[in-house]
Amino acid sequence: MTAKPGKVTQREIARIAGVSQTTVSMVLNDRDGSNIRIPDATRERVRRAIEQSTYVADPAARRLAGLDNKILGVFTYESALTPESMDFYGPLLNGIERAAESLGCDLLFFTSSPVEEGRRRLFHRNTRLRLADGCVLLGQQMDGEDLERLVAEDFPFVAVGRRDETEAPVPYVGIDYGALTETLLGRAAELGHERVLYIHRNRNSPTARDRLAAIERAGHSPAVTLAVVGDDLAGLPRLIGETGATAVFAEDAFLVEDAALVLGDAGADAVSLAALAEVRGHRIGGRNLTGFHTPRQQIAAEALALLQQLISTAPDERGGIEIQRLLQGEVAFGETLTARGGAR
Amino acid sequence: MTAKPGKVTQREIARIAGVSQTTVSMVLNDRDGSNIRIPDATRERVRRAIEQSTYVADPAARRLAGLDNKILGVFTYESALTPESMDFYGPLLNGIERAAESLGCDLLFFTSSPVEEGRRRLFHRNTRLRLADGCVLLGQQMDGEDLERLVAEDFPFVAVGRRDETEAPVPYVGIDYGALTETLLGRAAELGHERVLYIHRNRNSPTARDRLAAIERAGHSPAVTLAVVGDDLAGLPRLIGETGATAVFAEDAFLVEDAALVLGDAGADAVSLAALAEVRGHRIGGRNLTGFHTPRQQIAAEALALLQQLISTAPDERGGIEIQRLLQGEVAFGETLTARGGAR
DNA sequence: CTGAAAGCGCTTACAG
DNA sequence: CTGAAAGCGCTTACAG
């Protein structure tokens, strides 16, 4: 069943070249140092034997013997390749693929992880995690225990997005949503908005908290009313009436789109709109949505670079590495945030 | 560097449970057959020891010892996760991910394969191919040598798309483009089109040949003129004039889109248009493009099912498996193929 | 019922 | 300069 008839091993090569299997290994790995000196003739003989054959090193054996695998794990807390998730994961995966290509690594997607409570579990009975040299974690929310355990086991990993759900410091590469939020609020104030309504889903993620913290820091210019909303936004027009808000900010572009529909129906489409998240490709009634542009390709590249750094550094020497990195995005001034009372 | 401080092995578990390492392995793999009989008490003791610890079986060791890995390889001849390639690969990858989830397999993307002449190479010095139990191949064109070698080595694999570039029979799951092409040509004839122009890029792929063969089979109803085109379609209006074609069919939707632009500029937008390929999401001047709907998710599912079958069958017993499968798509009657001379 | 031993294919000290 | 040997963590005959 797992017979490998076509499989050539180093022993076979050694037999053909008339050397020991050790020598074959040496040649293959270019071990040519102080103690080891293989004459070009021998080296050439081995090389030829390998070329004649279809020899390929068994990656499982290499791994077991302690070598790096050049395999990077990719763990997503939800399915990553569905049409819906592509909006979020697409640019990240693209960046990861490119980075992996240039690092010469393969990518192992842990699609087998059993789903519990709507999320995949990283650790389970037969996890292939250890087959990877390290792992990238993706997802809006992550499991604190998973993170703790990865840290405890000194397994090299990097989370995409800021993380703060653990005691131990978790390596991550994320976006500075706090700074972006502040900038956008400042802009709203400049445009004359004194009262803003912020609608969100009360998610318990670090980035969600970053937005709220930035809003708090802004104090009263503008004054922001927070509102937790569910799937039904019917109460939105009333909320706007009660608060006197002239602008509605939402957690993400999809929520803005939903809000725009409700407001349009209620004839309240003069309010300004913005998302405190990536807005690329999102338009509201023909206008470019105001929000952020986040460098997701760059995040992916940076995450893999950090991961490589961790992999190639012994656990006790990782102290010098800056493991928490926040990248700056930029505010995308679309056409949905306009001067208060200004023309639509 | 590859120190694994947090790593627990079976030996460690055995020590804790006061049994031999062999017994731990037996318990873990539920080996409970004729010769082997482990009392529940022992079994329980081992189970508890495992749960107390953070033991996870080393996949490399399992693999080396001859077990399946539950890892399926995914090899694409081009980058798969770029925004452009998503149009083609997206639905396939989505289907593959879903199938892998339900099979309990992880997915290994061979992103490390070096690129030569614009295509990745499957076999190379340090390929991790063997780490996978089997492999799915994706790409419009594939390397005949790769396919031959996979067959020769009895490595389980399945190509997506019909293949005919080898002597040996290659396992594949594809779409029956020939049948679809025939149907569409018949429809064109019904609509009164006597002369059709087929523009293509002269690709040397099986599906490209399938289309041409079907056109040939159609004989003269309608009469189809073949034209190989490059990036510049400027000569298209002239070609239409010379042939008297009332409809232009193209190899794929993108080529139709390019043609439509040229024809629009030339004021020749009364000709009918269709693609002999997937057209989902493609519109020409506000009208749904006529062409095919191909069940790509289903192809992916079928390909992985076939792959699993091959993996779990010894090479010499694979004779009974139907390894070449053509799925039927359906013609998508959009609004760009209209009656000859009819209103646009 | 359970353990000691061989083996999977590789790498790396360690002896020659 | 090169090979015999140990070891990576596991599975599976084979003996008790």
Side-chain angles (χ1 to χ4, degrees), chain B residues 216-248:
Chain B
E216 190 136 329
R217 280 200 302 279
H220 290 284
S221 65
V224 181
T225 305
L226 309 178
V228 175
V229 297
D231 285 336
D232 185 13
L233 289 173
L236 190 56
R238 186 176 46 73
L239 263 174
I240 292 180
E242 287 173 11
T243 58
T246 54
V248 175

Side-chain angles (χ1 to χ4, degrees), chain A residues 20 22-23 37 39 42 64-65:
Chain A
S20 78
T22 305
T23 305
R37 202 104 271 289
T42 312
L64 193 55

Side-chain angles (χ1 to χ4, degrees), chain B residues 10-331:
Chain B
Q10 288 185 359
R11 197 165 73 210
E12 177 73 1
I13 301 291
R15 202 183 50 68
I16 296 172
V19 296
S20 80
Q21 180 257 351
T22 304
T23 303
V24 176
S25 174
M26 298 297 193
V27 172
L28 275 167
N29 294 295
D30 279 327
R31 289 281 172 277
D32 210 38
S34 43
N35 309 341
I36 303 129
R37 202 105 273 288
I38 301 172
D40 284 348
T42 313
R43 200 177 287 277
E44 212 29 64
R45 205 140 33 91
V46 174
R47 287 249 163 79
R48 242 194 309 276
I50 291 171
E51 273 164 29
Q52 308 294 309
S53 76
T54 58
Y55 176 80
V56 191
D58 184 325
R62 283 173 71 90
R63 178 66 171 163
L64 192 55
L67 261 61
D68 275 7
N69 238 348
K70 294 288 193 178
I71 292 181
L72 303 181
V74 177
F75 183 81
T76 60
Y77 277 93
E78 311 98 36
S79 296
L81 299 170
T82 64
E84 309 84 53
S85 60
M86 267 304 157
D87 188 67
F88 178 72
Y89 285 121
L92 289 173
L93 293 177
N94 184 206
I96 289 175
E97 182 184 42
R98 291 170 54 142
E101 281 174 1
S102 72
L103 292 169
C105 291
D106 292 324
L107 253 18
L108 183 58
F109 283 71
F110 298 109
T111 41
S112 75
S113 298
V115 175
E116 282 180 14
E117 298 169 18
R119 292 196 308 199
R120 285 188 182 146
R121 278 193 48 205
L122 178 52
F123 288 100
H124 60 100
R125 210 164 161 295
N126 276 326
T127 180
R128 259 79 66 178
L129 182 62
R130 297 235 95 105
L131 214 41
D133 298 331
C135 186
V136 194
L137 302 191
L138 303 176
Q140 316 263 20
Q141 294 189 50
M142 298 191 183
D143 183 316
E145 282 183 39
D146 285 351
L147 298 175
E148 296 279 14
R149 182 158 168 193
L150 286 169
V151 173
E153 296 189 8
D154 281 325
F155 189 78
F157 77 103
V158 174
V160 169
R162 196 173 78 76
R163 309 268 54 117
D164 63 5
E165 41 272 273
T166 59
E167 293 278 316
V170 164
Y172 64 73
V173 178
I175 298 283
D176 190 346
Y177 281 102
L180 288 169
T181 298
E182 275 187 72
T183 307
L184 194 54
L185 284 174
R187 178 67 183 148
E190 282 171 28
L191 288 169
H193 294 279
E194 292 172 0
R195 291 164 197 289
V196 172
L197 181 64
Y198 177 59
I199 56 177
H200 64 112
R201 299 213 148 94
N202 209 20
R203 290 219 181 89
N204 186 26
S205 72
T207 55
R209 284 192 291 277
D210 286 347
R211 293 182 179 90
L212 292 173
I215 289 171
E216 190 136 329
R217 280 200 302 279
H220 290 284
S221 65
V224 181
T225 305
L226 309 178
V228 175
V229 297
D231 285 336
D232 185 13
L233 289 173
L236 190 56
R238 186 176 46 73
L239 263 174
I240 292 180
E242 287 173 11
T243 58
T246 54
V248 175
F249 288 4
E251 194 166 30
D252 61 47
F254 295 104
L255 195 50
V256 176
E257 286 172 353
D258 292 348
L261 284 179
V262 173
L263 292 176
D265 289 350
D269 44 12
V271 300
S272 281
L273 296 171
L276 301 185
E278 175 65 55
V279 292
R280 220 174 289 263
H282 289 269
R283 297 170 67 82
I284 303 288
R287 295 174 298 160
N288 289 319
L289 177 56
T290 294
F292 308 149
H293 279 350
T294 55
R296 291 201 225 155
Q297 288 235 14
Q298 197 190 325
I299 290 195
E302 185 91 16
L304 257 65
L306 172 54
L307 184 55
Q308 271 294 29
Q309 221 179 112
L310 292 173
I311 290 171
S312 56
T313 310
D316 52 337
E317 286 164 14
R318 290 184 190 149
I321 304 175
E322 196 196 332
I323 61 171
Q324 304 193 323
R325 306 180 186 179
L326 236 34
L327 269 46
Q328 298 304 317
E330 54 187 48
V331 175

